[in-house]
Amino acid sequence: MSTTAQSGRAGMSLAPSTHLRRRNLIQLLITKLMASATLVSVLVTVGIVLSLIPTTFRLLREITTQIFGTVWAPLFTPSQYGMAPLLTGTFIIVSIAMVIAIPIGLASAIFLSDYATFNLRRIVKPILEILAGIPTVVLGLFGLYVVNPEFVEKYWPIGEPLAYTALGAGLMTGILIIPIIASVADDALSSVPRAMREAAYALGATRREVATKVVLNAGLSGVVAALILAFARAFGETTIALMVAGSYPKLSANPGDPMQTMASFIGFAGIGDAEVGSSAYNTIFLVGTVLFTVTLVLNILGNRFIARFREVYE
Amino acid sequence: MATASTSLESRVSLDRRIKDFTFTTFLSVSIVASLAFIFYIIYRLYNNAGFLLSWDLVTFFPSYDIDTAGFQSSIMGSIWVVGFATLFAVPIGVMTALYLEEFAGKRNRFTALLELNIQNLAGVPAVVFGLIGLAFIARGPLSWGFTVGSAAIVLAMLILPVIIIITREAIRAVPPSYKEGALALGATHWQAVSKLVIPSAVPGTATGTILAVSRAIGESAPLLLLGALSFVTFNPTGLDSGFTILPLAIFKYASDSREEFQVLASAGSLILLAILFAMNLFAILLRDYTLRKRNI
């Protein structure tokens, strides 16, 4: 009896029992709950932008063209805000990292996709994941205790490298991003269809020719994505640069010198409890804005390239 | 017929064979070098600090006296901070992933924007999360100070996109026939998802979460901005407690110029690596186990 009354209210031809109505209600509530959970990730992005922008603009209005100067000393009085030393420091360390990581990372990717047997791949991939999981503080420690004194100080020919060097930081950052290049590029190369390889073999190509002239070309957008994402990771790396290259923003072209990157400046200035509104506080948000904007552009670009090879082959 | 007896191989010119050989050698050397590097790091750390390894190192608190210095407060700090970060990030991450994969319906402008947002959030440098923590949580509107709670929220934001991406992959790997069968029997969408899709996606999600959490344990940069690089001689007692974390305790000892403290930093690194390797190994075994179960 009551069921018919309810079905009338629900306006359905099938008569839903209270049980059925309850589960529909649960379904509705759960969907709403999940939809609102998705807003958290949006909120985080909005929060990042809101935390960066106001402080950055306030400081920019104050310092205006000083930003093009060549001395970065925002924590001293009188403060100097020339970003050139941070830009060159970042550029040199990231460049060294890429020079190290591109050949080794790509070689690892080609090895995994076209040379390794199934079983070898099953062993090598997890070990590469372990390399990817080594904390940056450990890589920094190794750079500071081993690479700087035993390699850079001894063998670097220009100037007299001391405890902190950009070269050591670049090398360790390079090791940090090898697994990123290897794994993203391997995904791309492995998704190149078998038929393309077989066609090339049938035409008499050797294994190297297949790998470099067919597979690498076919998976090129994925390889480009790997390089862009690795570049972005190196660009934002803080701890290694801070531990190995030191915290002196020296404007120099010699990788044997200490240097400061944008990210390591944020880490360095943030160590002391930066009072809200102090110049240390303001400058870390200014530099943070540059860091965030550049990595955002790189990531959008990188993900575009990934989407492209997915579209073609998956 | 002379040509009949020569193998296919020999028709490739010497020049091309040399090139192939060189290339193979280059690939092998590269991969061996990057793998050997892991072992070299561990070897050097162990060589430097292996003699220090004992339970005292884990149970003693930080000290300026090398004989009684250890990592207890930082290990406990890491457990508290990363534990709460996981507690915050996993439910929200899993719900977001479920919504995008199961409930959002057709791809529309909102979900496309959401996906782009998550992808880009995953690429934001870790140190930037420290900035939002400093501006809004430790100082500014919330002003929770340099506490376990502030740090946990910052790390939760850091691992949230990773957990979403991994969970989505795990959900996508569940055969749609499971869900379709339940729907055909009259289950609601949520019943089908909660009884069939979620249980099948648990191992994949768990594997990914362990990897995300181990990344959070090793992360040092964002918490530099939240006062974690300090000399803390007590364990956290709550969300409002001061704290330090293992990576930054290592950082702190490493920046001391006295050699015995550098040894201590190496010893701390060995502890950190041991924790992370154990977690990685567990995740890999879990993944292997699940794959094997699915293939039967």
Side-chain angles (χ1 to χ4, degrees):
Chain A
M1 296 285 253
S2 65
T3 40
T4 40
Q6 275 162 5
S7 76
R9 230 180 299 141
M12 282 182 206
S13 52
L14 283 169
S17 66
T18 38
H19 167 70
L20 279 177
R21 281 202 308 149
R22 216 187 69 210
R23 51 171 234 182
N24 283 339
L25 188 69
I26 290 177
Q27 154 96 23
L28 188 73
L29 285 177
I30 297 264
T31 312
K32 288 264 185 292
L33 182 72
M34 286 179 179
S36 47
T38 61
L39 295 180
V40 175
S41 64
V42 179
L43 214 65
V44 174
T45 307
V46 173
I48 290 175
V49 173
L50 283 184
S51 70
L52 293 173
I53 300 299
T55 319
T56 301
F57 277 101
R58 211 176 312 129
L59 183 66
L60 271 182
R61 215 172 303 135
E62 196 183 303
I63 63 174
T64 58
T65 53
Q66 281 188 55
I67 204 162
F68 302 112
T70 55
V71 180
W72 178 255
L75 308 183
F76 296 112
T77 37
S79 301
Q80 286 181 281
Y81 296 97
M83 272 188 85
L86 293 190
L87 295 175
T88 54
T90 308
F91 176 76
I92 288 172
I93 290 177
V94 172
S95 303
I96 295 168
M98 293 301 279
V99 166
I100 294 296
I102 289 175
I104 300 181
L106 284 187
S108 304
I110 294 172
F111 181 84
L112 284 171
S113 74
D114 278 77
Y115 280 72
T117 60
F118 179 76
N119 278 327
L120 189 59
R121 194 184 151 86
R122 253 189 43 180
I123 298 166
V124 172
K125 270 218 123 175
I127 302 184
L128 268 179
E129 278 171 34
I130 289 178
L131 182 61
I134 292 182
T136 51
V137 73
V138 176
L139 293 176
L141 201 71
F142 187 81
L144 181 64
Y145 292 169
V146 179
V147 178
N148 275 352
E150 292 179 17
F151 296 96
V152 184
E153 269 184 48
K154 272 194 197 146
Y155 302 114
W156 183 250
I158 309 164
E160 278 179 19
L162 296 169
Y164 300 108
T165 72
L167 180 60
L171 293 175
M172 295 317 290
T173 309
I175 284 162
L176 176 79
I177 58 175
I178 286 173
I180 299 176
I181 296 183
S183 106
V184 180
D186 169 43
D187 281 348
L189 300 182
S190 297
S191 67
V192 172
R194 231 188 131 75
M196 289 177 79
R197 293 187 171 85
E198 279 161 2
Y201 279 124
L203 292 173
T206 63
R207 190 179 247 196
R208 173 189 62 89
E209 286 159 348
V210 172
T212 57
K213 294 186 177 155
V214 176
V215 180
L216 204 58
N217 266 328
L220 194 63
S221 59
V223 171
V224 173
L227 301 188
I228 294 174
L229 295 179
F231 186 94
R233 181 74 178 78
F235 191 79
E237 178 43 42
T238 307
T239 311
I240 292 177
L242 186 54
M243 291 178 85
V244 188
S247 42
Y248 175 51
K250 184 171 180 177
L251 183 62
S252 161
N254 176 8
D257 284 336
M259 280 178 207
Q260 195 168 42
T261 66
M262 290 189 252
S264 77
F265 167 75
I266 298 176
F268 168 71
I271 289 175
D273 177 2
E275 287 288 328
V276 178
S278 66
S279 67
Y281 183 90
N282 291 338
T283 40
I284 58 179
F285 285 92
L286 169 73
V287 177
T289 303
V290 180
L291 202 61
F292 177 72
T293 315
V294 174
T295 45
L296 184 69
V297 172
L298 289 173
N299 279 306
I300 291 177
L301 212 65
N303 288 320
R304 277 266 168 85
F305 277 105
I306 288 184
R308 191 185 293 174
F309 88 74
R310 288 229 167 112
E311 238 162 62
V312 178
Y313 296 121
E314 283 176 14
Chain B
M1 300 283 276
T3 44
S5 62
T6 45
S7 66
L8 271 173
E9 194 71 22
S10 66
R11 279 187 222 159
V12 177
S13 70
L14 184 66
D15 169 51
R16 282 165 77 204
R17 268 188 289 161
I18 290 174
K19 275 187 185 160
D20 253 56
F21 177 76
T22 320
F23 190 66
T24 311
T25 314
F26 165 67
L27 294 186
S28 315
V29 167
S30 295
I31 197 102
V32 168
S34 48
L35 300 186
F37 186 77
I38 300 173
F39 297 104
Y40 187 60
I41 286 190
I42 297 167
Y43 164 74
R44 289 302 300 260
L45 289 173
Y46 189 79
N47 220 6
N48 191 9
F51 70 94
L52 261 184
L53 289 182
S54 70
W55 280 114
D56 289 348
L57 204 61
V58 181
T59 54
F60 283 172
F61 284 96
S63 159
Y64 285 119
D65 175 9
I66 178 91
D67 295 322
T68 61
F71 290 94
Q72 185 180 341
S73 57
S74 54
I75 292 171
M76 290 307 286
S78 279
I79 292 173
W80 272 78
V81 170
V82 175
F84 274 106
T86 313
L87 222 55
F88 297 151
V90 168
I92 295 175
V94 169
M95 283 198 283
T96 306
L98 274 173
Y99 180 79
L100 283 172
E101 286 301 316
E102 293 290 342
F103 294 100
K106 259 211 333 257
R107 212 179 128 85
N108 54 37
R109 197 171 288 174
F110 174 68
T111 54
L113 200 70
L114 211 56
E115 281 180 8
L116 187 72
N117 174 55
I118 292 162
Q119 238 171 31
N120 290 320
L121 213 52
V124 171
V127 75
V128 172
F129 288 95
L131 288 174
I132 175 179
L134 185 64
F136 290 136
I137 301 164
R139 301 271 176 262
L142 289 178
S143 285
W144 288 359
F146 295 157
T147 57
V148 170
S150 307
I153 291 189
V154 166
L155 286 191
M157 293 191 285
L158 183 78
I159 59 175
L160 179 65
V162 187
I163 290 177
I164 295 173
I165 291 169
I166 286 162
T167 310
R168 288 187 69 182
E169 273 166 23
I171 294 171
R172 234 176 285 155
V174 178
S177 55
Y178 289 20
K179 194 180 64 188
E180 284 156 5
L183 291 176
L185 292 173
T188 62
H189 199 160
W190 169 245
Q191 283 174 321
V193 168
S194 65
K195 301 240 160 71
L196 291 160
V197 177
I198 294 180
S200 323
V202 162
T205 308
T207 309
T209 304
I210 296 169
L211 294 175
V213 168
S214 69
R215 185 187 152 196
I217 291 178
E219 193 58 72
S220 43
L223 300 189
L224 271 175
L225 303 182
L226 293 184
L229 189 71
S230 47
F231 201 73
V232 177
T233 53
F234 53 85
N235 292 333
T237 52
L239 282 173
D240 56 351
S241 190
F243 72 102
T244 185
I245 53 168
L246 187 52
L248 288 178
I250 295 167
F251 188 109
K252 188 151 186 70
Y253 283 133
S255 41
D256 197 305
S257 55
R258 282 169 293 178
E259 200 164 319
E260 57 264 40
F261 284 95
Q262 302 190 351
V263 175
L264 211 51
S266 302
S269 301
L270 285 171
I271 298 175
L272 183 58
L273 285 178
I275 294 172
L276 297 182
F277 285 169
M279 291 180 69
N280 268 292
L281 190 67
F282 183 69
I284 289 167
L285 290 178
L286 189 66
R287 183 174 55 194
D288 256 27
Y289 171 77
T290 338
L291 281 180
R292 221 172 309 133
K293 223 174 89 182
R294 195 167 287 162
N295 287 342
I296 288 170

